[in-house]
Amino acid sequence: MSLTRQGRNYLAFGALQYFLDWGVMVGLSHLGMPVEAANLAGRISGAMLGFWLNGRFTFAGEDTTVGRRQFGRFVTMWIGTTLVSTWAVGTVDDYAGLKWTWLAKPVIEVILGGVGFLISRHWVYRR
């Protein structure tokens, strides 16, 4: 599959993941949950959707698969990006407040999404 098609699919599925992630984070933090916990809940909900969609469609090919090994790699990548994301939103919340955190989350996730694309393409879904 071409880099262009993978990129297009990754962006489309990433948008779905992001809206689910962001909506859960904003909704739960609005209800009073600490931002770090709400961010974690949002990222889990988006991650489960993204692992399946990207494995099944974005990176599908003869040299890729969606199985336990790939899920383990995905979880490893996800833990790393989630630690960075949670630290970043917590830091913004501490210094600028909740509303700025809601605005900063998209920027943080776009940067981490680019990193995730490269790691997924070259490592996560490989056989």
Side-chain angles (χ1 to χ4, degrees):
M1 185 178 297
S2 74
L3 180 60
T4 302
R5 184 168 178 212
Q6 284 179 341
R8 186 176 55 242
N9 285 352
Y10 193 81
L11 284 173
F13 296 147
L16 290 174
Q17 283 179 260
Y18 170 73
F19 285 119
L20 179 60
D21 174 353
W22 186 81
V24 169
M25 190 277 277
V26 169
L28 292 175
S29 63
H30 179 72
L31 293 172
M33 182 181 276
V35 141
E36 293 85 356
N39 185 63
L40 183 60
R43 288 191 53 88
I44 289 170
S45 61
M48 293 301 96
L49 177 64
F51 174 72
W52 182 77
L53 286 173
N54 286 315
R56 181 88 168 114
F57 300 105
T58 303
F59 300 110
E62 292 178 10
D63 60 340
T64 64
T65 191
V66 178
R68 286 192 303 171
R69 175 179 286 174
Q70 290 72 28
F71 186 70
R73 292 174 184 167
F74 177 80
V75 168
T76 300
M77 176 187 70
W78 182 85
I79 288 170
T81 58
T82 297
L83 288 172
V84 171
S85 173
T86 302
W87 170 81
V89 296
T91 300
V92 172
D93 185 46
D94 289 345
Y95 289 100
L98 185 58
K99 290 184 181 179
W100 281 104
T101 302
W102 294 345
L103 294 172
K105 182 163 173 68
V107 175
I108 294 163
E109 297 303 335
V110 163
I111 293 166
L112 292 174
V115 170
F117 175 80
L118 293 173
I119 294 170
S120 293
R121 185 171 199 263
H122 296 288
W123 181 59
V124 170
Y125 295 101
R126 296 287 175 192
R127 287 190 186 268

